[in-house]
């Protein structure tokens, strides 16, 4: 792997070696490469891409020992500890969320038919193409974690607005309106999400347009992340449903914080296109999910 390492990559390796010296130059090379991969948006260094000599050195690197080591060797991958911790947190949170029961709304089939009426062209005889928006909406009512993905113009926002209408109308009938939060990674994306939802709400059937929020905030604001206190724990949100647009932009650390903040009793819906808008920091979480 012949790469142009940055000054930061080499400084990181030097810092580790100054704190705990190693006589093996390969160790510093591995540390610098791990830093390099992080700078390019990768969560780890895949040792399979390296020479056999460098791979062998990974098993004797001194900076992976202990629960608080700066590096973590996990099978054939070398991580910065922060990234490894975030991946473990995300994995644990997703497993816990998928194990949660999610009561099905009353009159689900009727509500779905009302929100997704057959199109004019589907009234004839012969097999009909599946209504994937309707299917996505139905599946999302039964899970505490849902991913709705697709390129521009595929109806992601329309689908999620109808999902919100279905869930909220059911909750209102039961006398307990849902607490709903809308968010996106950036202010611009949050503004677009809010406007798109406001436009889509106007197209909903009568009686299903109420109690649907149209104001979205940034993830930093939702999770109360302040620049000078980035290492603070994220408080649990008082919500029943969280919808996040442009989820492809969410990096490892932010996704870990988001999953920790949304209660297991609440539902989380991630919208995005894995082929659009990569995350600024490390980790293409949406694409991997």
């Amino acid at each position: 792997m012949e790469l142009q390492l940055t000054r930061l990559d080499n400084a990181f390796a030097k810092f580790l070696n100054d704190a705990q010296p190693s006589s093996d130059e390969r160790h510093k090379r591995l540390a610098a490469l791990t830093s390099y991969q992080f700078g390019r948006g990768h969560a780890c260094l895949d040792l399979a891409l390296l020479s056999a000599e460098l791979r062998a050195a990974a098993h004797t690197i001194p900076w992976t020992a202990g629960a608080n080591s700066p590096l973590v060797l996990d099978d054939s991958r070398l991580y910065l500890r922060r990234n490894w911790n975030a991946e473990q947190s995300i994995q644990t949170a997703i497993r816990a969320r998928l194990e949660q029961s999610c009561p099905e709304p009353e009159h689900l089939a009727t509500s779905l038919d009302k929100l997704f009426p057959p199109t004019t062209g589907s009234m004839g005889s012969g097999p009909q193409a599946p209504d994937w928006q309707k299917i996505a909406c139905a599946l999302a009512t039964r899970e505490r974690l849902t991913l709705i993905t697709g390129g521009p113009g595929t109806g992601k926002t329309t689908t999620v607005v109808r999902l919100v209408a279905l869930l909220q109308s059911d909750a209102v009938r039961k006398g307990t309106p849902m607490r709903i939060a809308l968010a996106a990674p950036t202010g611009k994306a949050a503004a677009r999400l809010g406007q798109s939802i406001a436009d889509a709400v106007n197209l909903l059937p009568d009686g299903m347009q109420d109690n649907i929020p149209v104001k979205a905030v940034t993830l930093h604001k939702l999770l109360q992340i302040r620049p000078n206190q980035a290492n603070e724990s994220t408080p649990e949100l008082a919500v029943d449903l969280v919808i996040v647009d442009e989820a492809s932009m969410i990096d490892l650390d932010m996704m870990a914080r988001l999953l920790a903040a949304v209660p297991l009793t609440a539902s989380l819906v991630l919208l995005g296109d894995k082929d659009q808008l990569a995350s600024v920091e490390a980790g293409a979480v949406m694409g991997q999910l």
Side-chain angles (χ1 to χ4, degrees), residues 63-80:
W63 309 311
T64 59
N68 296 311
S69 61
L71 300 177
V72 176
L73 179 61
D74 189 343
D75 194 16
S76 62
R77 297 179 177 87
L78 189 60
Y79 288 82
L80 299 177

Side-chain angles (χ1 to χ4, degrees), residues 144-177:
R144 290 301 185 195
L145 175 64
T146 301
L147 297 124
I148 300 179
T149 182
T154 53
K156 297 187 296 295
T157 303
T158 301
T159 302
V160 81
V161 167
R162 293 177 184 180
L163 169 65
V164 173
L166 189 158
L167 295 175
Q168 187 65 293
S169 60
D170 180 68
V172 169
R173 279 195 301 269
K174 295 174 180 176
T176 54

